[in-house]
Every structure is written in C-alpha cells, then in structure tokens.
Amino acid sequence: MVHYKDLGLVNSRELFKKAMAGKYAIAAFNFNNMEQMQAIVAASVECKSPVILQVSSGARKYANQTLLRYMAQGAVEYAKELGLSVPIVLHLDHGDTFELCKSCIDMGFSSVMIDGSHHSYEENVALTKKVVEYAHRFDVTVEGELGVLAGVEDEVSAEHHTYTRPEEVEDFVSKTGVDSLAISIGTSHGANKFKPEQCTRNAEGVLVPPPLRFDILEEIEKRIPGFPIVLHGASSVPQDKVAIINKYGGALKDAIGIPEEQLRKAAKSAVCKINIDSDGRLAMTAAIREVFALQPAEFDPRKYLGPARDSLKELYKHKLTDVLGSANTVG
Ligand code: G3H
Ligand code: 13P
Ligand code: ZN
C-alpha cells in the first residue's frame, strides 16, 4: 500500500472548494506517456494552475500501472524543478469496478472515478457507496456519475445521451457520499461529438453544434448548491488541428467538438473539473504528421515527439488560461 500523500500528491477536495469560490474549473488531462505528462506539468507550472493527471483503465493497460504511478510522483518533482509546486491530483478516469478503484487507491491515486452510469440507479448507488467507503478511509476523493454521455467511454459506447435527471442528484449524493458528480448535459467523448445534421451553420459557414443544456445544470445546482460538478467529453476539437491532420494524410471526417465559450461559461458555474483528452490527441497527431510529411527522412523519435510535446503544452496553456480560467491561482 502506497499513500498518495507520500508521493506528494493531493486529493481534489480543497482544489474544488477554491475553484467553486473563484469561478473557474480544474483541468483533468488524460495521460499515457512521458511526453503528455511533461506537457501537462510544464503548462500547469507556467500558468500557475493546479492540475489533475488522469489515467483511464486503457492507459493503465497501455503504460503499466506501476510506471504511471512513478510518473505521477515524478510529475510532482518535475514541477518543483520547473520552479513551482503546483498541486497535482492523480485520478482514475472511468473506473468501472470496486476492485479497479481499490487497486488504484492502494497504488497511490489521490482520487478515483467510479462510473456506475451504465448500471441501474440502485446498482450505481450501491457500487459508488462501496467505493466511497473504502476511498474515504484513506482520504481519497471520489467522483460518481449520473446520466450517460453519447460516444465511447473506454470500452463502453452509447449512441444517445441520457441527460442527468436533476431530481436524482440530491438522493444520489446523500446516499453515496461522493465528493463530486459527473453529469450529462450534451457533451460526449471523442472527436465526433455531433453529426453535421445536428448542427447549424453560422454566418461564416462554420458548423455550430447544439448548445449544452445549461438549464439542466442550473436545476442541478439548485438542488445541490455548492456541490462540485464534473464535465466529461469536453474537448473542443480545434479545427486547425483537424485541418493539419487531414492535409498530411489523415482521414478525420465530421470532427466536431464543444465550443470553448460554452466551456468557459460552464467553468464559472458549479462545474469544478473539466475533462480533456481528445484535443491533446489531435494536437500530438497533427504535429507528428507534419514532421513526417515535411521531413520524411527523419527517424529520431525525439524529432517528432518533441514538436508534439511542444504543441500539447501550448494547447494546455490555452485551455488553462482562456477556457478553464485556472491560470494564476497557485502561488
Ligand atoms: O473517457 C475516455 C478517455 O478519453 C480515455 O480514453 O480509454 O482511450 O484511454 P481511453
Ligand atoms: P474528450 O474525448 O472530449 O476529450 O473527453 C475526455 C474525457 O471525458 C475523459 O474522461
Ligand atoms: Zn470521460
């Protein structure tokens, strides 16, 4: 058993309290490898932002759970070396079983998500409660989920949203004891969040997706005032990155994300954590494709992973500063 405090990590409780009061959100960026971790930490230090390093079960399989844990510990030391000890949370993304959550807690995670949203309401309550009871023994914070996002959630995929039902949130939070709640108000996972036929065109001919259901968010806020809300599936799918990928041999079709103004608005509400993975994938892929296309004789991985890391860092800085509003909240 390794406790996260011994690794220099923090749980999300205080961060969410401050984010709620300061009307900003904490970024949760997924990571699977060293370059992503370096970009997240460097951006957070430069922006003076707290950050959540997020690990999916797919990432655990890909990178090895022990290595990821030491990388998170390394992230704490790396931030110090870069000049500012920004608070860092190591969070399990979309945990689907008690055993997975327990294993992460025992391995030094400071926060876990138990995603029971695909179960019946009663099963979701029971599973989430069980995880909370274990996690709280070690002061690990827990995120639950009510409502189902469209798109792919790890190995589970759903064709349609089931919006969170505001009338359930109070009961869910009080029965389970969760520390934060992920809700479904129109975001979805991946780079194809909407079909073009669901969108309208603005004066410049740009596709505009249907707005998030802020009415549902407001209703939830009324029922559980001051309770930290989480938005998954919050990538904006930057069209300049999509264009670079497609220019250099990619085949991304109908890639549409959540407009950043809507996330900015959400960050000022009870939304305290915003999850971004796909935008980072797009930034890395665009940078790597560009190097491959323009320098076809290059074969040193540092020559393409380096630019990918630089591009990621710029993207994260933009998110922290202009979208989530968490810049300059540390130190
Ligand atoms: O919500 C899913 C995250 O984007 C993680 O994706 O399961 O492919 O690592 P992954
Ligand atoms: P995106 O696919 O929109 O980046 O969402 C990531 C996410 O919700 C991770 O849990
Ligand atoms: Zn998610």
Side-chain angles (χ1 to χ4, degrees):
M1 168 98 201
V2 186
H3 195 266
Y4 69 85
K5 286 180 188 160
D6 296 329
L7 306 181
L9 300 162
V10 298
N11 70 21
S12 60
R13 195 169 294 119
E14 281 305 308
L15 300 187
F16 288 168
K17 215 181 271 175
K18 282 192 194 159
M20 183 79 74
K23 297 195 180 305
Y24 60 89
I26 312 287
F29 297 130
N30 290 70
F31 87 112
N32 305 260
N33 63 36
M34 184 188 74
E35 283 76 11
Q36 290 170 322
M37 187 275 279
Q38 289 173 317
I40 295 169
V41 175
S44 304
V45 168
E46 280 183 35
C47 291
K48 301 188 171 72
S49 286
V51 76
I52 299 173
L53 283 173
Q54 195 157 257
V55 172
S56 69
S57 62
R60 256 175 124 236
K61 275 184 219 141
Y62 174 79
N64 178 278
Q65 58 162 339
T66 307
L67 278 178
L68 284 173
R69 193 252 288 169
Y70 281 109
M71 280 167 75
Q73 186 175 9
V76 173
E77 297 304 320
Y78 183 45
K80 263 188 225 161
E81 201 178 303
L82 292 176
L84 185 67
S85 286
V86 291
I88 297 177
V89 176
L90 178 61
H91 175 79
L92 169 68
D93 194 22
H94 295 285
D96 57 350
T97 61
F98 170 78
E99 290 69 28
L100 174 59
C101 293
K102 179 181 182 302
S103 163
C104 287
I105 293 165
D106 295 349
M107 284 289 282
F109 280 59
S110 59
S111 175
V112 293
M113 175 189 194
I114 177 67
D115 181 356
S117 62
H118 298 276
H119 297 295
S120 71
Y121 179 77
E122 288 72 24
E123 284 166 351
N124 189 0
V125 167
L127 177 61
T128 306
K129 188 169 185 283
K130 188 173 171 191
V131 171
V132 169
E133 279 168 3
Y134 186 76
H136 282 182
R137 281 167 51 194
F138 305 98
D139 203 21
V140 167
T141 38
V142 181
E143 174 184 325
E145 179 164 336
L146 270 181
V148 181
L149 274 67
V152 179
E153 287 190 346
D154 241 328
E155 273 102 44
V156 187
S157 78
E159 186 144 354
H160 302 292
H161 307 275
T162 309
Y163 293 120
T164 305
R165 301 176 63 219
E167 52 275 30
E168 285 179 351
V169 296
E170 216 177 330
D171 184 66
F172 186 81
V173 164
S174 72
K175 278 193 180 140
T176 60
V178 273
D179 302 284
S180 60
L181 182 67
I183 60 166
S184 171
I185 56 166
T187 59
S188 81
H189 290 103
N192 295 81
K193 300 187 189 299
F194 306 97
K195 299 198 168 71
E197 51 273 26
Q198 290 174 278
C199 303
T200 52
R201 280 194 193 275
N202 68 12
E204 289 85 49
V206 177
L207 286 174
V208 180
L212 297 181
R213 292 290 303 272
F214 282 98
D215 56 322
I216 298 178
L217 174 60
E218 278 164 27
E219 191 55 41
I220 290 170
E221 286 187 76
K222 269 191 216 147
R223 289 171 190 255
I224 44 172
F227 193 81
I229 300 298
V230 177
L231 279 191
H232 282 248
S235 276
S236 295
V237 188
Q239 293 302 304
D240 55 336
K241 304 292 182 209
V242 173
I244 294 171
I245 291 172
N246 286 340
K247 178 176 172 188
Y248 295 119
L252 293 180
K253 208 174 165 288
D254 299 335
I256 304 169
I258 311 293
E260 288 188 336
E261 315 78 71
Q262 296 206 25
L263 298 167
R264 186 75 204 93
K265 181 177 168 186
K268 290 179 181 163
S269 73
V271 170
C272 290
K273 172 175 179 269
I274 292 187
N275 287 7
I276 297 172
D277 186 2
S278 298
D279 284 358
R281 296 178 180 196
L282 292 167
M284 281 196 98
T285 302
I288 290 171
R289 276 196 179 275
E290 190 164 56
V291 174
F292 283 173
L294 300 182
Q295 300 165 58
E298 192 52 74
F299 67 99
D300 177 347
R302 293 171 297 187
K303 296 289 168 33
Y304 50 87
L305 293 177
R309 183 175 62 191
D310 293 344
S311 172
L312 254 188
K313 182 175 143 190
E314 284 315 304
L315 175 95
Y316 291 146
K317 283 171 66 176
H318 163 64
K319 298 286 179 188
L320 295 170
T321 308
D322 307 319
V323 185
L324 285 86
S326 68
N328 298 311
T329 62
V330 181

